[in-house]
Amino acid sequence: MAIDLQQIGKRFRFYTNLRELEMEDLTSITGSDAETLNNIIHGRNIVLDELVSIVKHFDDLNPQWLIYGEGSMFKPMDADGQCHEPNKKDCLKKDKAAYLQQMKNMLIELDAAEVAKGHKPDIDALMAKLDQLRAAQQ
């Protein structure tokens, strides 16, 4: 299976936006420089070793999804039923309506890229969840 660098960048950008991580947060979490992280986010000049060393800093991110677009974005729950990421829906740093619209736009972009590749993993479920959250906001 071929690795699509631009797809990896789009998925990583989607994940970091969902987690509300800015470049400063990413450099702090990963210890990588902004240029390397920008290259990953924009799908250019990605060295697999650098990508692996960065991804290991995100316990909840499923590397199979990031690299191949397969499976769920997040790793499954632990054996004891604990999620890797606590529920943050009530503590968004951004305006919720604008944030939900931004995420929906990114999902549409990811969906178009996945359709072009020939498969649609969890995009429909994520879009439905965003619609649900938006309806609850109104």
Side-chain angles (χ1 to χ4, degrees), residues 106-116 119-120 123-124 127:
M106 291 187 75
L107 275 172
I108 290 168
E109 183 182 334
L110 272 174
D111 187 39
E114 292 298 327
V115 167
H119 67 88
K120 282 175 69 171
I123 302 294
D124 290 335
M127 286 185 75

Side-chain angles (χ1 to χ4, degrees), residues 5 21 38 45 48 64 67 75 86-87 93-94 116 121 130:
L5 300 181
L21 299 171
N38 262 322
N45 302 325
L48 194 54
Q64 189 76 14
I67 295 170
K75 290 180 182 174
N87 185 355
K93 295 181 270 185
K94 302 176 183 176
L130 284 171

Side-chain angles (χ1 to χ4, degrees), residues 60-118:
D60 62 340
L61 178 59
N62 179 356
Q64 189 76 14
W65 173 81
L66 179 67
I67 295 170
Y68 300 108
E70 297 174 353
S72 175
M73 176 185 344
F74 297 105
K75 290 180 182 174
M77 291 184 183
D78 293 336
D80 62 358
Q82 298 297 312
C83 274
H84 291 280
E85 178 67 16
N87 185 355
K88 294 174 58 175
K89 73 177 185 178
D90 294 327
C91 59
L92 290 176
K93 295 181 270 185
K94 302 176 183 176
D95 169 52
K96 284 186 180 183
Y99 177 74
L100 291 172
Q101 185 59 49
Q102 176 190 14
M103 296 314 297
K104 185 164 186 163
N105 291 342
M106 291 187 75
L107 275 172
I108 290 168
E109 183 182 334
L110 272 174
D111 187 39
E114 292 298 327
V115 167
K117 257 178 43 175

